[in-house]
Amino acid sequence: GAVVSQHPSWVICKSGTSVKIECRSLDFQATTMFWYRQFPKQSLMLMATSNEGSKATYEQGVEKDKFLINHASLTLSTLTVTSAHPEDSSFYICSATDPNSPLHFGNGTRLTVT
Amino acid sequence: SQELEQSPQSLIVQEGKNLTINCTSSKTLYGLYWYKQKYGEGLIFLMMLQKGGEEKSHEKITAKLDEKKQQSSLHITASQPSHAGIYLCGAASGGGADGLTFGKGTHLIIQP
């Protein structure tokens, strides 16, 4: 079946640095990908919708300048957390939509900012 | 690893009728989340259940958690076209939120 690959699965970075997370659809083309964030013991919340070839759509309260999203091809979307701070430590997960099957999720990336 | 089984996989219901979607876990449930998604859109968080016997409602949608059965059910009363979409349950695998395991989703179609 269709698979979404997310990389890295975990990352530790120092405060003030930037981190890039990749989300790839392995055997289908995804014109739309979604990025979610989950804080400990909280629900998965949608951050932004990534559209191939156009600007991402951010949910209310999500800083677009801090969470840069690039969807340069039909199989790759990247999320860059810029100038990361400890409060950005979280679990980030992407999902992609395949016209033939509704939902595919990456395995998530655990970001820890020290 | 924890697995979540949702049933039914798809459901066609006439507008105005009630329906129930079930989510059964292979392991102890530490937290159960229900989401809704429409094609081409992101997940919409519906409810989170954490305690056995807990029941929550949001408009015409009610969800219950049966901790002993490791199961949750989502009930929609007097369904409307706006309820159409994919319903997804997600579960925490442990006491924290170290990633969620999701069911495969239930595709709900509302017939006028």
Side-chain angles (χ1 to χ4, degrees):
Chain A
V3 175
V4 171
S5 175
Q6 197 171 330
H7 178 79
S9 57
W10 61 271
V11 57
I12 301 173
C13 71
K14 292 185 178 181
S15 184
T17 61
S18 296
V19 175
K20 181 185 286 188
I21 302 169
E22 295 185 347
C23 181
R24 294 180 184 273
S25 57
L26 296 184
D27 58 357
F28 66 98
Q29 293 183 331
T31 56
T32 305
M33 292 185 176
F34 307 100
W35 288 98
Y36 303 90
R37 177 173 56 185
Q38 185 185 39
F39 292 107
K41 298 186 179 181
Q42 294 186 23
S43 179
L44 198 70
M45 300 302 294
L46 179 64
M47 296 176 65
T49 301
S50 173
N51 303 300
E52 188 270 333
S54 64
K55 292 182 179 180
T57 304
Y58 290 82
E59 296 299 302
Q60 192 173 10
V62 178
E63 301 174 59
K64 58 181 67 177
D65 294 325
K66 181 167 185 61
F67 298 98
L68 300 179
I69 292 174
N70 184 278
H71 196 150
S73 76
L74 288 170
T75 59
L76 175 64
S77 175
T78 60
L79 169 68
T80 301
V81 183
T82 62
S83 187
H85 291 286
E87 57 264 30
D88 297 324
S89 298
S90 186
F91 185 75
Y92 294 85
I93 190 168
C94 68
S95 71
T97 300
D98 171 16
N100 298 318
S101 185
L103 286 169
H104 307 289
F105 285 88
N107 289 328
T109 298
R110 175 154 300 286
L111 170 64
T112 302
V113 184
T114 61
Chain B
S1 61
Q2 184 174 33
E3 293 183 355
L4 292 178
E5 183 176 355
Q6 277 185 246
S7 62
Q9 290 185 345
S10 63
L11 189 57
I12 301 174
V13 174
Q14 193 172 14
E15 185 178 352
K17 298 295 184 181
N18 303 336
L19 64 105
T20 300
I21 299 170
N22 293 305
C23 177
T24 303
S25 173
S26 61
K27 293 187 177 182
T28 302
L29 286 168
Y30 291 98
L32 194 289
Y33 306 86
W34 283 101
Y35 297 88
K36 177 188 173 185
Q37 186 191 41
K38 292 187 175 181
Y39 276 101
E41 299 180 10
L43 287 173
I44 300 170
F45 171 65
L46 295 176
M47 276 168 279
M48 178 173 67
L49 305 167
Q50 289 185 302
K51 298 177 182 179
E54 186 174 15
E55 180 177 330
K56 289 186 178 179
S57 294
H58 174 69
E59 296 178 352
K60 292 186 178 181
I61 302 175
T62 301
K64 299 179 183 179
L65 179 62
D66 188 328
E67 201 172 51
K68 291 182 179 179
K69 292 184 179 179
Q70 298 178 176
Q71 183 180 71
S72 177
S73 60
L74 185 81
H75 185 77
I76 299 177
T77 304
S79 59
Q80 300 171 353
S82 60
H83 289 131
I86 299 162
Y87 289 82
L88 195 69
C89 66
S93 57
D98 193 14
L100 286 179
T101 299
F102 289 91
K104 292 184 178 180
T106 295
H107 186 192
L108 174 62
I109 298 172
I110 306 296
Q111 282 187 334

